[in-house]
Amino acid sequence: MISTLHREGRRPRARRLLGRLAAVLVVGSLGLGAAPAAVADDADAEQPADAAVEMFLSVGDTGQVTPGAPLPSSVTIENPTDSDLTAGSVSVELNSTPLPDGAALDAWLDGDAVDGAFRSVAVESSPAVADGSDETIDLTVEPAALGELAPGVYPLKARLTGATTTDSAGKTVPLSVTAGSVLVVPAPSDARTAVIVPVTATPENGALLTADELTTLTSDGGDLAELVDAVSGTSAILAIDPAIPASIRVLGDRAPASSTRWLEQFEALPNDMFTLQFGDADATVQAQAGRTELLGTPDLTPLLDPADFPAVEPKLESTSEPTPTPIPTAEPDLPANSELTAVRGAQGGILWPRPTVTEQDLATFGAYLGDKVTTILPSTSVQGDASVHSAVDARDLLVTDASASARLSAAVEGTESAAAADSEMAAVAGHLFFAGQRSSLTAVALERSETRSPEALRNALVAFASPGATLSALRGGESASVSLAETTAGARVAELNSMMAGADRLTAFASILDEPAVLLVPDRIRMLRVIGAGLSDDEFAERAADHTKRVNTTLTSVNVVKPKPVQLFTSAAPLPVWVRNDLPWPVTVTLFSTPSNNRLDIQPATEVTALASSSTRVDIPIEARVASGRVDVRFWLESPTGVPIGQPEVADVTLRADWEGIGLGILGGVIVVLLIVGSVRMVRRRRADALHQAHAPHEPAEGEQ
């Protein structure tokens, strides 16, 4: 059931919050009269401008009634305003004129009038509802009040009267609110419903899930752990993103125990399942972009660390030769790429793209996966008398009920209140009633979401997923011939082509790495997630912009640091240059140097291994050819394959090499002067000594008398 105050079931999930806001504003003007408008216009009011009393009606088991049995019902009043709501009276009213089809059902729930008159079938007093709180009133509708109702879907509404609130000026304002829903009287039928549940998980870094993220998701209370609990014992058909098991298996022994246990439990489920494209990538945009093959699963094996996988002892062959042979060394048992992404029991040949598919796209899908590929599309994408198994020119389709799918997706969202979820469940029951009149088999597909309520999901699966509604049943039997609704490619094609051009630049850039895959594989996974089939247009645009920014940042992560002006006072010396590397891996580049004139002779190329996340100094030998002058030295980097890396930089070098000659000349002159002065002093000293000896008195030698 759904209140007239919450009517966003048919819209994509990304728009539902905006739609809910609009619905609440409608209630503020229709349900509360003029006074609440004054409250909303009060700049000093603390509550949001859209705050208004909401009401939801829930009846029976997902809106269905058993003929001849009392009908339990409840009315929930939510008061998000700053004013208390006084006690009043709640009545449940039934229109005995059944709705003719699903379009009329949606029109009624969206607030349109319906044929026939309403009559009261139950009345109960309502309690006061304090500001910021809610109250639920339980009512029971007796069989006699309902009367004899033929199988069908009947308009139902609840009405609150007699309650008052106060406006911003303290004035008492009477309040009247209604909430619309439906009552479904089922017909004897063997109709079955299949419910397809997508299983996705988006990592924060956009590539593979980390060990910490896996621990959070697969431990008790984690989203993936609770999803397995929710689908266990039901007939849900599961569509899993193979990036989830790949994230677990690529870690080897480092994978959290909870994640390996979760994967075992998931693969042990008896439910039918199939795999989405890696990262839930959309095949439609790839086909419309002219891709001759799906981007597909990147090769993850370069990301494997042999230390994370146990070594396997090789088998020794028996030999009769007496000479002993060397025992081979044990090697780690690394899984193949196909093993990393495999899901045991998953069926192949199924695509679940965005619904904007053309006939040419279907033909391209056949080229991707073979002519037997089955494409899942909502009923809004086809024209004609469609059944679950339909076809366009022999191209198989699995058609889901778009209205029921949207309502059920809203019902299981964790952001919805229990009362709002109950209202949506009744709407689903109404749509499935009409679907059961057209076909004995109906398919409902939940929207991609990682914010579902596990409890609401299980309730929905128990209520609507029929045993025996399997993939083989959906894809088997005669197919109805249909055509596709007209559609346009949209902006995603241009963005994908732009991202592919960026990927080509990144591939060339990655040649500076010893193992380019450590950069290229995560980038490819991020690109696949950007074109995810479950993203709204706004989410796609945001992710595409983030991806482009990330690629551009990577392409500028290795560069020559802007050199400072340099003055050299010798004819030959090393010129220091710094190479910046912001990547978490070492890189190998060639640093090229070119002077602006022939004053300077410089080493033209120098191979550099720049350390990870740091700046590496490189000393470039130079030699002056002319005594002095100013020279601009241009530096740039290239990869080992000749790809330019980063932007060139110019160093301003001023040569003062003649100072060396002048200095040497002065030093030589000083030495010559010192030698001359020393020689003169030595000559003078010797002459003085000789003269002194000549004039000294003669002293007789010893023994002379």
Side-chain angles (χ1 to χ4, degrees), residues 64-86:
Q64 302 179 76
V65 60
T66 302
L71 176 65
S73 60
S74 64
V75 176
T76 300
I77 303 172
E78 297 180 357
N79 179 18
T81 70
D82 283 344
S83 301
D84 292 344
L85 183 66
T86 65

Side-chain angles (χ1 to χ4, degrees), residues 597-685:
N597 54 55
N598 59 3
R599 288 189 175 92
L600 190 65
D601 187 10
I602 188 169
Q603 182 170 298
T606 304
E607 185 173 304
V608 180
T609 299
L611 301 179
S613 304
S614 64
S615 293
T616 301
R617 173 171 170 156
V618 184
D619 290 329
I620 309 298
I622 62 173
E623 184 176 348
R625 292 178 177 176
V626 182
S628 63
R630 180 178 177 277
V631 181
D632 288 337
V633 182
R634 183 173 180 266
F635 296 102
W636 74 96
L637 298 175
E638 289 186 7
S639 75
T641 58
V643 177
I645 303 297
Q647 296 297 321
E649 295 291 350
V650 177
D652 182 4
V653 180
T654 302
L655 301 178
R656 293 291 183 261
D658 54 341
W659 289 14
E660 180 182 12
I662 295 173
L664 290 175
I666 294 174
L667 180 59
V670 170
I671 293 174
V672 170
V673 170
L674 291 176
L675 288 174
I676 293 173
V677 171
S679 298
V680 169
R681 290 182 64 187
M682 183 176 63
V683 170
R684 286 180 177 180
R685 182 178 297 147

